[in-house]
Amino acid sequence: MPKILLITVGGSHQPIVTAIRDLQPDRVVFLCSDGAKGSKSQVIGSGTPCEVRRGTEVIEKLPNIPTQIGLGDKFQPDRDIILIEEPDDLSECYLKASLCIQNIQQNVTDAQMMADYTGGTKSMSVGLAMASVDYQLTLYVTTAVRTNIIKVERGELTGQASVAPVVAQRTIEQFLPIFLQQYNYPAAIAQLRRLLSSMALPPDIKRQIQTLYACCSGLDAWDRFEHRDALELLEPQMKNPEIRNLALFLKRVINSRGQIDEKFDSSNGTEGHGYEIVQDLILNAERRATQQRYDDAVGRLYRALELLAQIRLLKAYGLKTGDIDTEKLPENLRDEYEKKRSPAKGKIQIALRNSYELLTKLPDDPIGKIYLENANKIINALEVRNNSLFAHGFKPIISNDYEDVSKVFVNFIKSSISSVVSAKPHIQPPQFPANIGTG
């Protein structure tokens, strides 16, 4: 694993020599100012370009830095010098340092990269430091007891710069919100895990990252319908108002799912109106649409539509769409549905459209009535899903398709739930937040 050091060069060669001797790199890349009076002379100048001064007096002249250190063939000028034309231009300093780092990371296997930003102009130092933080280099600074404000004197020591809090706050404040706005929890989790595993962090920042990690992991589990795992991760974070509202809704989702999913343990759920799992699917579809995964989004809306009928038939009439008990049907419907019994399975099973048609035949069912009013629009919208690759066809679903299907399905579902739920206040289903505080 080759050790490669990037180092800024300024008016004094001494801290540069100290850093190289202390860090013992296999290769050194010098960031130097260009021009006749630039610091590049200290790296490639002939004769004795490096001077040791006491005030204005030159007390010693020395060869260039690679010669002093004895880099020999390890130093290749064409490869190992980055010339900065405008050393006070932060943009140029940052970009050239970044490009150099990228090139090494792409072409040198397992490079252990370091940077020392002691020398050079302020812009050169800041540019290298910023690039090093962005590309996760180990950062060093060479210091000594200062006897003036001009430069570091003799007796320097090279020490690792503490950048972990800087990296952590940049991740939390700049990158994490982007992932959350995209509902990209795997990326958020990976960034937070990297911070926790690769850096020595102050206790308060570490606790903040651990809290964010638990929240993102909980939302990721919920996004994958692992509702119980999600609650286990989110419930301890309920001091945060946003997480509290989510967790309260999640408990109702768990109870709602338990009523229709016989294999699901809903023991830690909270009773609601019973249709929360349908609302949960709509919110999940919205997140997929935000990610431009429109086929996924429509698939979830289809399942929400299907679940609405299944829950209504079960809650109101004790009827399971996967095994209709004709004894629970009105007498005038029993013969009609008995004819639908499968000889192979011995069951009467009805799909989405037949489920709603059954609701229209049951006396005064509110959802059945709303379906009759919207049947043509729903059937037309179903064609979009049926023609997609995720169903029976090959046509990809685009943004406009999703918007059209969503308008029909969601309006129908919301109206249907309102028609069968009592007027007392219920928790409004919240969408996942685009930002998570640590309250």
Side-chain angles (χ1 to χ4, degrees), residues 203-380:
D204 58 331
I205 295 179
K206 186 173 183 179
R207 284 192 297 271
Q208 182 184 20
I209 294 171
Q210 288 170 333
T211 298
L212 291 168
Y213 183 84
C215 291
C216 289
S217 297
L219 295 175
D220 183 51
W222 190 346
D223 215 26
R224 291 181 279 107
F225 305 105
E226 295 176 359
H227 294 114
R228 289 183 59 83
D229 291 345
L231 184 60
E232 185 177 339
L233 288 160
L234 294 176
E235 200 167 22
Q237 314 303 329
M238 287 179 69
K239 289 182 180 180
N240 181 326
E242 288 184 326
I243 299 301
R244 176 178 172 78
N245 290 335
L246 284 169
L248 290 175
F249 175 62
L250 177 56
K251 288 187 174 186
R252 286 162 172 76
V253 171
I254 287 171
N255 181 272
S256 171
R257 175 176 170 179
Q259 295 178 39
I260 195 73
D261 183 355
E262 295 177 351
K263 296 181 180 179
F264 181 71
D265 178 6
S266 61
S267 58
N268 56 351
T270 301
E271 186 175 0
H273 53 60
Y275 294 90
E276 288 85 358
I277 186 64
V278 178
Q279 296 172 319
D280 185 42
L281 273 164
I282 292 173
L283 294 169
N284 194 295
E286 290 177 2
R287 296 194 291 274
R288 302 292 76 76
T290 298
Q291 297 171 331
Q292 300 183 11
R293 292 166 51 187
Y294 300 114
D295 290 273
D296 282 350
V298 168
R300 283 153 171 75
L301 290 178
Y302 178 90
R303 180 62 179 133
L305 190 68
E306 184 179 52
L307 262 179
L308 173 65
Q310 291 174 341
I311 293 172
R312 177 60 183 169
L313 287 167
L314 184 63
K315 281 176 65 70
Y317 307 101
L319 293 167
K320 297 180 180 180
T321 59
D323 188 5
I324 295 291
D325 182 354
T326 55
E327 293 299 315
K328 295 181 179 180
L329 291 172
E331 194 169 338
N332 65 317
L333 296 176
R334 291 175 185 174
D335 288 343
E336 176 187 347
Y337 278 85
E338 191 59 46
K339 293 175 183 177
K340 299 178 184 290
R341 190 177 297 278
S342 167
K345 296 182 179 179
K347 296 179 179 180
I348 301 169
Q349 297 177 311
I350 56 175
L352 185 149
R353 284 181 61 179
N354 287 334
S355 298
Y356 281 102
E357 288 169 3
L358 174 54
L359 285 171
T360 67
K361 297 172 183 177
L362 295 170
D364 299 319
D365 186 84
I367 294 181
K369 290 179 179 179
I370 296 172
Y371 177 76
L372 280 175
E373 296 168 1
N374 294 272
N376 289 336
K377 289 189 290 187
I378 292 172
I379 291 168
N380 289 336

Side-chain angles (χ1 to χ4, degrees), residues 47 92 95 104 112 124 136 138 146 186 190 197 214 217 224-225 244 261 296 355 363 369 386 391 413:
E92 181 187 358
L95 289 173
I104 293 172
Q112 179 185 343
M124 289 169 64
Q136 301 172 36
T138 304
R146 289 180 179 267
S197 64
S217 297
R224 291 181 279 107
F225 305 105
R244 176 178 172 78
D261 183 355
D296 282 350
S355 298
K369 290 179 179 179
N386 292 337
I413 290 170

